[in-house]
């Protein structure tokens, strides 16, 4: 039962799905049009997932779960490019600066995850959930989202970290490092946006 719950949490809060959840939540809170939401979905889920499936078909990775650190480099590098292209697309489309900077921050987090993964297996799930909690905290400080969402994201980050440990996908240090990296990048980007 515990392992099933951990597997479910890991799948539902996969790092490529988290940006779509965040974009959907922000769209709902802002009551704006959905065109920006779909751009986020395409650049942070559809394209990176398609690239991973292609790498699987070409034999560059053994499975989409990529348990071995060495096989994570290609998918993470391509995901970083896709996230960065998404930020560029949104900038070109004159999207709100918060959305552009948020997606650029996610691209930076994925790029740093890629670089760290070349030497050490940091938790990408941790990076995604730490980044989500940091982004929602920043939005709360700007009075754009309620505190409840920050608390929910912190609880979910803890639950996903627990899941990765239960599944023995990561060590505690790898999970904590991922959470810290995601949180730091999100809060750093929010500070840059506030200064600019």
């Amino acid at each position: 039962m515990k392992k099933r719950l951990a597997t479910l949490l890991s799948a539902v809060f996969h790092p490529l799905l988290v940006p779509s959840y965040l974009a959907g939540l922000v769209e709902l809170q802002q009551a704006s049009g959905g065109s920006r939401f779909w751009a986020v979905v395409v650049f942070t889920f559809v394209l990176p997932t398609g690239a991973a499936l292609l790498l699987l078909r070409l034999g560059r990775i053994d499975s989409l779960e990529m348990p071995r650190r060495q096989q994570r480099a290609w998918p993470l590098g391509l995901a970083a490019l896709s996230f960065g292209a998404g930020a560029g697309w949104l900038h070109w489309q004159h999207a709100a600066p918060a959305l552009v900077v948020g997606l650029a921050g996610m691209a930076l987090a994925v790029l740093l995850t890629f670089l760290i993964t070349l030497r050490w297996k940091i938790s990408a799930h941790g990076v995604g959930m730490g980044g989500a909690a940091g982004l929602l905290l920043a939005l709360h400080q700007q009075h754009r989202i309620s505190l409840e969402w920050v608390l929910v994201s912190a609880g979910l980050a803890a639950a996903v970290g627990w899941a990765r440990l239960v599944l023995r996908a990561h060590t505690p240090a790898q999970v904590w490092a991922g959470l810290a990296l995601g949180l730091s990048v999100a809060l750093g980007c929010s500070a840059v946006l506030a200064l600019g």
Side-chain angles (χ1 to χ4, degrees), residues 1-14 65 125 159-160 162-164 166-167:
M1 179 65 181
K2 191 162 75 167
K3 196 166 182 180
R4 275 190 193 163
L5 178 59
T7 301
L8 179 66
L9 283 168
S10 292
V12 171
F13 295 101
H14 188 280
E65 293 164 0
H125 279 80
V160 171
W162 167 84
R164 303 310 287 160
V166 166
L167 295 173

Side-chain angles (χ1 to χ4, degrees), residues 129 153-163 175 179:
M129 295 307 295
S153 69
L156 287 172
V160 171
W162 167 84
V175 170
L179 289 167

Side-chain angles (χ1 to χ4, degrees), residues 100-119:
V100 175
V101 172
L103 193 51
M106 290 178 198
L108 175 61
V110 176
L111 177 62
L112 292 172
T113 303
F114 160 74
L115 293 172
I116 292 167
T117 298
L118 295 176
R119 294 281 181 189

Side-chain angles (χ1 to χ4, degrees), residues 29-48:
Q29 297 292 310
Q30 305 295 317
S32 58
S35 63
R36 306 297 192 228
F37 167 75
W38 290 110
V40 172
V41 171
V42 167
F43 284 104
T44 66
F45 178 70
V46 175
L47 292 176

Side-chain angles (χ1 to χ4, degrees), residues 33-114:
S35 63
R36 306 297 192 228
F37 167 75
W38 290 110
V40 172
V41 171
V42 167
F43 284 104
T44 66
F45 178 70
V46 175
L47 292 176
T49 300
L53 289 169
L54 180 61
L55 290 170
L56 181 65
R57 185 171 173 85
L58 294 174
R60 296 272 185 176
I61 58 175
D62 295 334
S63 78
L64 292 177
E65 293 164 0
M66 295 171 274
R68 293 190 301 129
R69 176 188 58 82
Q70 295 83 351
Q71 292 193 353
R72 293 177 172 220
W74 272 100
L76 283 169
L78 293 172
L81 285 172
S82 186
F83 279 49
W89 171 262
L90 290 173
H91 176 70
W92 185 62
Q93 292 293 310
H94 307 291
L99 186 58
V100 175
V101 172
L103 193 51
M106 290 178 198
L108 175 61
V110 176
L111 177 62
L112 292 172
T113 303
F114 160 74

